Amino acid sequence: FVASRFERSSCCLFCQFSTIFLSSFASGHSLSVHSLARAIAFSLRVSTMAEFVGTLRALLGSDNNSRGAAEKTFSDAREQQPAATVAALFHALGESSLEEPVREQAAVLLRQCLSKIQDDNSTWQKLGAQGQSDAKAKLLQLLQSEASDKVRRKIADAIQKLGCQLIEIPQDTRPNNAEAWPELMPTLMPIVVDTSRPDGLRADTLLAVKELLDSIWPVMVANINQTLGVLQTCFSSNSPAVMGRTSELLCELLDKLDKKEERSKFAPLLEELCRVIRALADSPNIAPLNDLLTALQAGPSLADFLKDAFPEHVLPLLKTIATSHKEEDINRAALEAVMTIVEAKPKAYSKNTVAMQAIIEICVVFMTQLESDMAGWAAEDDEEGDDEERLIMGKEVLDRLCRCMHAHDKMAPLMELMKQAVSSLMAAGWKEQCAGLSMLATIIEFVDDEDLVQTMFGVVKSNLKSQHERVRHTAWAAVAQFAEDHAETLSSEAIAPGMLEAFLAVMDDPCERVQSRSMEAFQFYGGLVEREVLDPFVPNMMSKLGHKLQHGSIGLQRKTITYIAVLAGQMEDGFADYYAPLMPVLKQLVQSLVHKNEERTLLGKAFECISLLASTVGLEVFRSDAEVIMEAMIKATNVPDLTSNDPIMEYMMQASQRICFVMKGAFLPFLPHILPLVLKKFTLAPKEYSKETMQSIKDDEEVSLTVQQGEDGKVKVILMSTSELEDLKGAIGCVHTFVEELGKLFVDYLQQTAQALLLVFDFALDEDVRDLAFETWGLLCQCARESGQVDKVGELVQEFLKRMLPKFEQVGATGSVAEAQGIDSAALKTAANGVTACLRKAGPGVLSGEQLNHICQVALKALHVSLQLRDAEEEANRRNQKNDEEEEMVDDEELEEATKFRLALCEMVGALAVHHGDLFMEHCLNPSMQLVTKFIQPSVRWEDRRLALFVICDILEHLKEKAVPAWPHFMEQLLQDVAHQSTALRQPACYAVSLAAQVKAFAQFAPSAATTLSQVISQTRQAGKKKSQREAQACADNALSALVEILTTHQQAVAGAEGQLWSVWLNALPIQVDEVEGVKNHRTLLNLVKAEHPQVIGESGGNLPQVLSILVDVYKSNTVDEETSKGIAQLVVQLGPQRLEGIASQLKEKHRKKLLRIHKEGQ
């Protein structure tokens, strides 16, 4: 068979055969594959075929050396003698006397030979036209004659594999047959309807047809009557396999049909489908039922077909299977089928409360399938214990149902059903109570009414002291979720003290697992509570935590350290008193764990806690411990034989960032030891999917994957373990912090960091990775400029642009919508944001006028193409959906990414003006204003008007007075958009007015603008702090910036309404959502108070209690900068004890406590 593999005599026979084979081609005669098989059998006889079969057997063997040699033998034969190899495989398949595994192996290898048929060097191409024809015929013949189920199934797989590659039918055509393989359908269809054939053959043939659907569905629709007849005949079978495959075929065929009129032809088969579901549910063979349930998890077309029959016919069957079938896998598959159908057509199914109620009831059944062995449950660690799979799925499906209904504004009726279910569950046994609490935790994210939130939380809180440990455990889990979703409510003065008492009490709970879950909840809750509220509870908490840290179990120690870290982070310098007693304990713990591979998580948490303690005491106190701690961290990362998902590196990077933030320049000596370890993580990269790649990933390891189109145009799957992905993100974030905190001191490490960053510039698996990498590159540009290396700044900028601009140029160069459809909007958005960050950080003088013009034109051209593509796709959708009013929008995420990409392009254009204003005026203002003029019109859709507003904001911010001549093109509409009903337009419009108001020329617009702004602010603040109002409140925050800018810059223009306008501004503070605007407004407020502005401090200082309350509230928060916080402390001291005491008496208790702390810190 191959000269190097066979004996000399066999080689001679092979050479004789080769001579005959080549002579036939030379004489113009073709030798078919079938004839070739006979020729091999005749020429090589038993000895040669025995060698070939021996090769097949060796491939199945367990001996690695023999298997490796056999793989090489077959690979060489396939490459050098493809026709002979295929013929031999067919011959082996036809030899029924051979053992079944050998023939299965032959079928598998044959399928491999028939793959990648479009490649010029493929085995298929080397067979020639006649050989290909004979191979197709032989496959169909073997399918019908094969008696072995396993072998036949693999032959059917080879048929569908070949057919899917050969047959390409445009979706808008309906041919009667597949011209690329005209014998295929006329052979397969008679098999499936022939009741005299074995059920196994019919089922395998149906499976092949189903797998061929991507290619042949237009043929089946063209022959609709025959297709219906085939399906009806197969439905009448008594074989579960035949019925099941028929149902799968129907479901997947329906999901291919976008047109409702084509789907409607299959309506008579609905009853049969339901009958089959019922029959398979009663069958002892669960495989057909599982496959059918998987097929029901299709898309919008199938969901639309089922929607009328779903509530009364399909759903009851699936509900019974989900709740009553004896196999858990079947239960889960049935619930997944129900949820997938609803998710595919949420608007349609939301109208049926019966369907919603049924899904809730199924989920409740899942969520109450809890273990009754409480001793065994309590003995497990929360992190290591196996949570019940049905419970997890029940919660996940409820969350998906809520998320789906909420996204389509259909949450209200579902919420009523949920409330009823919770009420019923909480009145029943402990398992039902756990389900009720889990349901509350699931739905709370979607509750907007403050009173309802408090009512629901009251139910949770009342169960924190339940007699049953599992109920207490679930209640604490719910606390964590409530804290995450409704931070302000749970941290309010009405709730926080009582909750802190509960956190303190649960530390003595007799069930350690309940304690552990409460500690997890504190990670979410503790960071919400104000320092003054938390302060009285800290001593008792620390007393109990200290005991647990030294005497608790390993699992409890891990949670204890995190608990302490949360307290330290929230109390800040108020936690400094605990540094001295805690640090020796933590250092001792570190030394004892640094070489214990089994306790790496505990060691990592110790590093985390130490870094947070350092933040509370500052550099001077921490300096003496810094070297020991950093050496321990470095040593911990160099321990040999660590697992690939070792957590220490992640903890070390996070701790290093905090310590660098504390130590600033004093951290520099540690950088040579830490940075190489961090940069090494930059080499982590996703791999293309393959058998070898999957084998390298552990069974319990999660992976992230995506589909990517290669340079050759072929689609490939790339993947990466989730732990590696998180390590890479953490490493880039760590370097980002080092550069940001060290500034110009980082310059000696700039080159090696830049080289390392280039490795992740084309990272395709997660855009967050590239986004952070590009931001870090911008910081490197800033570092080079601050250190005086101007030439290096230019090099970094040009290197970045060289890599990014071609991506946009390629988009702009597309000649048609079809070419543009391959645009990766998410990746391009990241690239555009990267250019913006780089140009903003690089500073002036790095670009020429020609470069500015080129970048501007490239961005605007890409924007134009993206808009063209959007319009074309929407037109295509309208054509496809004109007969279906209920058709859901698809690819929402893709549409959102495209919208963000267009906004990023506009910001990229705006970034050109940041440091190159004059050049921008000369080269970029005109094309920018053309865009603004086109899109600012009120008749333009809001998404495009927002593009214009983004460009306007950059022009106003960076060109200032120079942009005034362009104002007539947009100012009138801009002022109207300040009160636009859409927050997407209102927020940038308010921000733009805050920028325009800085220019004297705005005086003529000031009165009307101030009136509109004050109305927006007053109306929005009256709506309260509901989650649904966050976007509106952010608009009001921007409006406040605009209003105070008008009041301070154009006082004469608004003098008549000045008092009322100042009142609106002051009463709307503090800033609620937009932290950037918070920094501006609160700084302005402080300065106005210091200047004793009469409208701000009021007559005889009457407004001072209100003003001081605001400043105290925001002190050291995210809405003030460090300088403003220092100024607030100085102001408090300057007020003097007597005046301060009088003001304090008018404040809330929490503000009085905080005022005392501020006074102390200001002295």
Side-chain angles (χ1 to χ4, degrees):
F1 191 56
V2 174
S4 62
R5 180 69 178 86
F6 297 122
E7 299 291 338
R8 181 178 178 82
S9 59
S10 298
C11 291
C12 292
L13 287 171
F14 180 77
C15 291
Q16 293 172 17
F17 161 73
S18 298
T19 302
I20 297 171
F21 181 73
L22 294 171
S23 297
S24 68
F25 276 103
S27 61
H29 299 293
S30 62
L31 189 62
S32 72
V33 175
H34 196 189
S35 300
L36 190 56
R38 290 198 302 271
I40 288 177
F42 178 77
S43 301
L44 303 183
R45 298 184 184 278
V46 177
S47 62
T48 304
M49 283 310 301
E51 289 284 353
F52 180 68
V53 171
T55 300
L56 296 179
R57 290 194 179 106
L59 289 170
L60 296 168
S62 58
D63 183 86
N64 291 335
N65 293 331
S66 297
R67 189 169 63 251
E71 287 174 353
K72 185 177 187 309
T73 296
F74 182 81
S75 177
D76 290 345
R78 178 179 170 182
E79 178 66 28
Q80 298 167 17
Q81 296 290 341
T85 303
V86 170
L89 289 170
F90 272 124
H91 184 78
L93 276 169
E95 285 291 338
S96 57
S97 60
L98 287 176
E99 56 268 40
E100 188 177 68
V102 173
R103 295 169 62 235
E104 281 188 82
Q105 180 68 25
V108 170
L109 294 174
L110 180 61
R111 184 191 64 192
Q112 293 175 6
C113 288
L114 302 180
S115 64
K116 300 182 179 179
I117 66 172
Q118 302 301 330
D119 292 356
D120 294 338
N121 199 39
S122 68
T123 303
W124 179 257
Q125 295 294 342
K126 293 176 181 179
L127 289 180
Q130 185 62 50
Q132 293 169 3
S133 178
D134 286 348
K136 291 187 286 188
K138 188 63 176 175
L139 279 171
L140 295 174
Q141 176 189 333
L142 285 172
L143 176 69
Q144 299 176 74
S145 62
E146 181 55 55
S148 165
D149 289 343
K150 291 182 178 180
V151 177
R152 184 179 60 245
R153 203 160 293 129
K154 287 183 169 52
I155 293 171
D157 191 30
I159 290 172
Q160 67 86 10
K161 180 82 171 180
L162 179 60
C164 286
Q165 296 176 87
L166 285 172
I167 302 169
E168 293 184 9
I169 301 174
Q171 292 191 5
D172 57 349
T173 62
R174 300 291 183 269
N176 288 321
N177 200 2
E179 293 182 7
W181 194 349
E183 304 85 8
L184 179 64
M185 296 301 288
T187 301
L188 298 182
M189 289 312 206
I191 295 175
V192 300
V193 298
D194 188 349
T195 56
S196 66
R197 299 271 195 170
D199 290 334
L201 170 60
R202 296 176 67 197
D204 290 342
T205 306
L206 282 164
L207 177 59
V209 174
K210 179 181 79 77
E211 297 298 327
L212 283 161
L213 274 178
D214 280 340
S215 299
I216 65 169
W217 69 264
V219 175
M220 299 188 72
V221 175
N223 299 279
I224 185 67
N225 292 331
Q226 293 93 321
T227 300
L228 288 170
V230 167
L231 293 171
Q232 190 68 58
T233 300
C234 295
F235 270 132
S236 65
S237 172
N238 291 323
S239 164
V242 174
M243 289 190 294
R245 295 300 186 202
T246 305
S247 300
E248 293 174 56
L249 176 59
L250 173 62
C251 291
E252 299 206 17
L253 175 57
L254 285 165
D255 210 47
K256 304 291 181 190
L257 307 182
D258 293 332
K259 296 179 180 178
K260 195 168 187 176
E261 60 270 23
E262 290 183 337
R263 296 195 297 268
S264 65
K265 303 287 181 61
F266 294 88
L269 298 179
L270 254 174
E271 185 177 344
E272 289 295 329
L273 178 62
C274 292
R275 182 186 65 79
V276 170
I277 295 173
R278 192 179 300 108
L280 294 182
D282 295 332
S283 172
N285 182 7
I286 66 170
L289 177 59
N290 189 62
D291 290 340
L292 175 53
L293 292 172
T294 301
L296 284 168
Q297 300 166 24
S301 294
L302 177 61
D304 182 74
F305 176 79
L306 294 173
K307 67 182 180 184
D308 293 333
F310 184 76
E312 294 184 11
H313 302 288
V314 180
L315 179 58
L317 291 172
L318 296 178
K319 180 183 176 183
T320 300
I321 295 170
T323 57
S324 304
H325 200 280
K326 62 182 180 180
E327 294 290 337
E328 286 192 21
D329 288 344
I330 296 296
N331 301 146
R332 288 193 289 271
L335 177 53
E336 182 61 35
V338 171
M339 192 60 234
T340 304
I341 291 169
V342 172
E343 282 178 319
K345 298 288 292 184
K347 290 182 181 178
Y349 289 107
S350 66
K351 299 173 183 177
N352 193 299
T353 55
V354 174
M356 298 297 101
Q357 182 67 40
I359 296 174
I360 293 172
E361 290 172 359
I362 298 172
C363 290
V364 166
V365 171
F366 272 60
M367 293 162 68
T368 52
Q369 301 298 309
L370 304 177
E371 292 290 339
S372 297
D373 178 14
M374 283 298 97
W377 173 85
E380 291 180 330
D381 185 277
D382 244 2
E383 292 182 357
E384 299 172 1
D386 293 328
D387 209 348
E388 293 87 343
E389 290 186 9
R390 290 194 190 188
L391 169 63
I392 294 171
M393 186 167 188
K395 292 192 292 186
E396 287 178 349
V397 169
L398 273 182
D399 180 70
R400 287 164 60 188
L401 181 62
C402 292
R403 206 165 294 283
C404 177
M405 294 298 119
H406 185 265
H408 292 83
D409 297 323
K410 303 293 182 182
M411 192 63 196
L414 177 62
M415 186 62 70
E416 289 303 313
L417 294 174
M418 293 278 208
K419 287 159 61 177
Q420 295 171 18
V422 169
S423 178
S424 175
L425 290 167
M426 297 312 298
W430 71 266
K431 291 184 178 182
E432 288 76 14
Q433 290 172 12
C434 287
L437 290 167
S438 295
M439 189 176 290
L440 285 174
T442 300
I443 66 177
I444 191 59
E445 176 183 352
F446 309 98
V447 178
D448 196 40
D449 181 79
E450 183 75 13
D451 292 337
L452 182 57
V453 172
Q454 294 197 26
T455 299
M456 288 181 167
F457 187 69
V459 175
V460 172
K461 188 178 178 184
S462 66
N463 282 277
L464 295 177
K465 295 183 179 181
S466 169
Q467 294 298 310
H468 201 283
E469 57 266 52
R470 189 69 191 263
V471 176
R472 298 196 302 275
H473 183 271
T474 308
W476 280 110
V479 168
Q481 192 63 54
F482 271 70
E484 187 173 4
D485 293 328
H486 291 276
E488 289 191 14
T489 300
L490 263 70
S491 60
S492 66
E493 291 181 87
I495 292 178
M499 279 307 303
L500 292 172
E501 289 283 4
F503 274 109
L504 195 56
V506 74
M507 288 186 183
D508 299 321
D509 194 287
C511 178
E512 184 175 303
R513 198 163 174 181
V514 175
Q515 292 184 41
S516 177
R517 182 50 61 95
S518 75
M519 289 180 164
E520 287 182 8
F522 193 78
Q523 294 178 37
F524 294 92
Y525 188 79
L528 305 177
V529 183
E530 292 196 28
R531 175 173 163 176
E532 278 64 38
V533 179
L534 184 60
D535 188 55
F537 297 90
V538 173
N540 287 336
M541 285 181 170
M542 285 302 300
S543 175
K544 294 184 178 184
L545 290 169
H547 184 269
K548 294 179 190 299
L549 182 60
Q550 297 183 68
H551 305 291
S553 65
I554 293 295
L556 212 55
Q557 282 182 323
R558 288 197 290 263
K559 299 293 172 57
T560 298
I561 289 178
T562 303
Y563 203 117
I564 292 171
V566 172
L567 288 174
Q570 197 66 4
M571 293 299 295
E572 298 176 324
D573 55 353
F575 201 74
D577 290 344
Y578 298 99
Y579 182 89
L582 260 179
M583 186 56 78
V585 176
L586 290 171
K587 287 165 67 175
Q588 183 180 1
L589 185 64
V590 165
Q591 295 301 324
S592 67
L593 295 174
V594 74
H595 293 295
K596 290 185 178 180
N597 289 2
E598 67 275 12
E599 298 301 340
R600 303 287 285 176
T601 299
L602 180 57
L603 176 60
K605 287 183 176 292
F607 287 141
E608 176 186 44
C609 189
I610 288 170
S611 66
L612 284 163
L613 281 175
S615 301
T616 68
V617 296
L619 172 61
E620 294 308 314
V621 175
F622 180 66
R623 189 191 295 272
S624 60
D625 294 312
E627 186 172 347
V628 174
I629 298 304
M630 294 305 299
E631 285 179 359
M633 284 200 291
I634 295 167
K635 187 182 296 184
T637 59
N638 290 319
V639 173
D641 301 323
L642 295 176
T643 60
S644 59
N645 59 349
D646 179 68
I648 281 297
M649 192 65 190
E650 179 183 356
Y651 281 110
M652 185 275 284
M653 290 189 293
Q654 292 176 352
S656 295
Q657 291 179 69
R658 295 191 191 97
I659 293 172
C660 180
F661 182 82
V662 171
M663 300 186 73
K664 297 293 191 291
F667 183 81
L668 200 61
F670 305 118
L671 200 59
H673 307 286
I674 295 290
L675 188 61
L677 297 173
V678 178
L679 293 183
K680 188 177 180 181
K681 291 291 183 180
F682 285 25
T683 61
L684 294 172
K687 303 180 179 71
E688 187 171 354
Y689 174 84
S690 66
K691 182 178 179 181
E692 292 74 20
T693 302
M694 294 307 297
Q695 288 175 344
S696 68
I697 297 174
K698 295 182 178 180
D699 292 339
D700 60 346
E701 194 166 12
E702 295 182 357
V703 297
S704 300
L705 55 84
T706 188
V707 177
Q708 184 183 45
Q709 189 172 25
E711 294 181 359
D712 57 0
K714 294 182 179 179
V715 174
K716 58 183 179 181
V717 177
I718 59 172
L719 54 85
M720 187 178 191
S721 74
T722 303
S723 61
E724 286 187 343
L725 181 59
E726 291 303 317
D727 277 352
L728 179 57
K729 286 182 182 178
I732 300 173
C734 189
V735 172
H736 186 282
T737 299
F738 290 165
V739 184
E740 189 172 39
E741 295 303 321
L742 294 174
K744 63 182 181 181
L745 298 177
F746 190 84
V747 68
D748 290 340
Y749 306 93
L750 190 151
Q751 188 63 39
Q752 70 181 103
T753 304
Q755 288 297 321
L757 272 174
L758 291 175
L759 297 174
V760 295
F761 268 28
D762 293 319
F763 189 85
L765 196 61
D766 190 320
E767 287 305 314
D768 289 343
V769 169
R770 294 202 314 140
D771 195 42
L772 190 55
F774 294 165
E775 280 189 27
T776 306
W777 190 273
L779 289 174
L780 291 179
C781 295
Q782 185 178 36
C783 169
R785 178 167 291 281
E786 290 176 350
S787 61
Q789 298 190 15
V790 179
D791 290 343
K792 190 63 182 178
V793 179
E795 289 177 18
L796 290 169
V797 171
Q798 297 307 322
E799 177 68 26
F800 193 85
L801 294 177
K802 181 180 74 174
R803 291 171 177 270
M804 296 301 123
L805 288 184
K807 301 178 187 295
F808 307 115
E809 291 166 351
Q810 185 177 0
V811 174
T814 52
S816 66
V817 171
E819 291 179 13
Q821 286 179 335
I823 290 176
D824 186 345
S825 295
L828 288 166
K829 174 205 69 178
T830 304
N833 288 337
V835 173
T836 299
C838 185
L839 294 179
R840 285 179 177 273
K841 295 292 185 181
V846 296
L847 296 176
S848 66
E850 183 179 352
Q851 287 177 310
L852 252 75
N853 181 61
H854 177 65
I855 296 170
C856 180
Q857 293 299 330
V858 165
L860 294 178
K861 180 61 176 174
L863 175 64
H864 176 70
V865 171
S866 179
L867 290 168
Q868 278 187 317
L869 177 60
R870 178 200 65 188
D871 294 342
E873 289 178 340
E874 288 181 353
E875 178 58 31
N877 285 336
R878 280 193 290 270
R879 288 197 302 269
N880 292 335
Q881 299 170 13
K882 61 183 179 181
N883 295 322
D884 188 357
E885 295 179 0
E886 291 293 338
E887 193 68 41
E888 308 290 343
M889 290 297 292
V890 296
D891 295 329
D892 286 343
E893 185 175 346
E894 187 174 327
L895 292 174
E896 184 178 354
E897 288 297 339
T899 300
K900 290 179 179 178
F901 168 48
R902 292 188 285 272
L903 287 171
L905 286 171
C906 290
E907 292 189 315
M908 180 172 151
V909 172
L912 298 171
V914 176
H915 300 295
H916 301 81
D918 291 338
L919 290 175
F920 185 92
M921 291 280 294
E922 181 181 352
H923 296 279
C924 306
L925 183 59
N926 284 339
S928 298
M929 288 309 303
Q930 289 173 11
L931 181 149
V932 168
T933 304
K934 178 180 178 180
F935 288 148
I936 196 63
Q937 304 304 321
S939 58
V940 175
R941 58 193 293 170
W942 71 266
E943 298 101 317
D944 295 349
R945 288 175 64 190
R946 183 167 58 165
L947 298 177
L949 288 170
F950 270 55
V951 174
I952 289 169
C953 287
D954 280 318
I955 289 174
L956 290 172
E957 181 176 4
H958 305 301
L959 301 185
K960 301 188 183 302
E961 291 85 356
K962 296 176 183 178
V964 172
W967 284 15
H969 294 285
F970 58 79
M971 187 58 71
E972 181 180 354
Q973 188 59 51
L974 172 63
L975 294 175
Q976 292 180 22
D977 286 343
V978 166
H980 199 280
Q981 62 181 3
S982 170
T983 56
L985 295 182
R986 192 160 74 245
Q987 182 167 351
C990 290
Y991 178 66
V993 172
S994 74
L995 298 170
Q998 297 172 19
V999 178
K1000 291 181 179 180
F1002 190 78
Q1004 60 180 308
F1005 306 106
S1008 61
T1011 300
T1012 305
L1013 289 165
S1014 66
Q1015 292 171 352
V1016 168
I1017 294 166
S1018 299
Q1019 292 170 5
T1020 305
R1021 288 300 196 241
Q1022 288 174 7
K1025 296 183 179 181
K1026 295 181 179 180
K1027 287 178 66 177
S1028 60
Q1029 292 295 315
R1030 281 188 62 81
E1031 291 182 359
Q1033 295 297 351
C1035 294
D1037 292 343
N1038 281 265
L1040 283 165
S1041 296
L1043 181 59
V1044 77
E1045 192 65 53
I1046 292 172
L1047 285 167
T1048 53
T1049 307
H1050 306 283
Q1051 186 269 335
Q1052 290 184 350
V1054 295
E1058 185 180 11
Q1060 185 265 334
L1061 294 174
W1062 277 114
S1063 177
V1064 168
W1065 181 72
L1066 196 59
N1067 289 331
L1069 293 176
I1071 294 296
Q1072 295 186 9
V1073 178
D1074 194 322
E1075 293 178 359
V1076 173
E1077 300 309 310
V1079 172
K1080 294 179 189 176
N1081 281 269
H1082 300 143
R1083 183 195 301 128
T1084 299
L1085 176 61
L1086 175 64
N1087 292 335
L1088 291 169
V1089 174
K1090 285 183 174 180
E1092 297 187 352
H1093 191 288
Q1095 298 285 3
V1096 174
I1097 65 172
E1099 186 177 352
S1100 301
N1103 292 341
L1104 275 178
Q1106 179 186 1
V1107 170
L1108 201 58
S1109 176
I1110 295 169
L1111 294 175
V1112 167
D1113 204 27
V1114 301
Y1115 178 75
K1116 287 190 174 180
S1117 72
N1118 292 334
T1119 59
V1120 291
D1121 54 24
E1122 185 176 351
E1123 183 181 350
T1124 302
S1125 286
K1126 288 180 179 178
I1128 293 172
Q1130 292 170 1
L1131 173 66
V1132 168
V1133 172
Q1134 289 169 4
L1135 286 172
Q1138 185 175 356
R1139 195 175 185 189
L1140 196 61
E1141 186 176 345
I1143 294 173
S1145 65
Q1146 302 178 56
L1147 302 181
K1148 295 179 180 179
E1149 183 179 357
K1150 71 169 186 176
H1151 286 147
R1152 289 199 296 272
K1153 291 181 178 179
K1154 190 172 182 179
L1155 185 61
L1156 289 173
R1157 171 166 64 92
I1158 295 172
H1159 186 269
K1160 180 180 178 182
E1161 292 175 357
Q1163 287 180 315

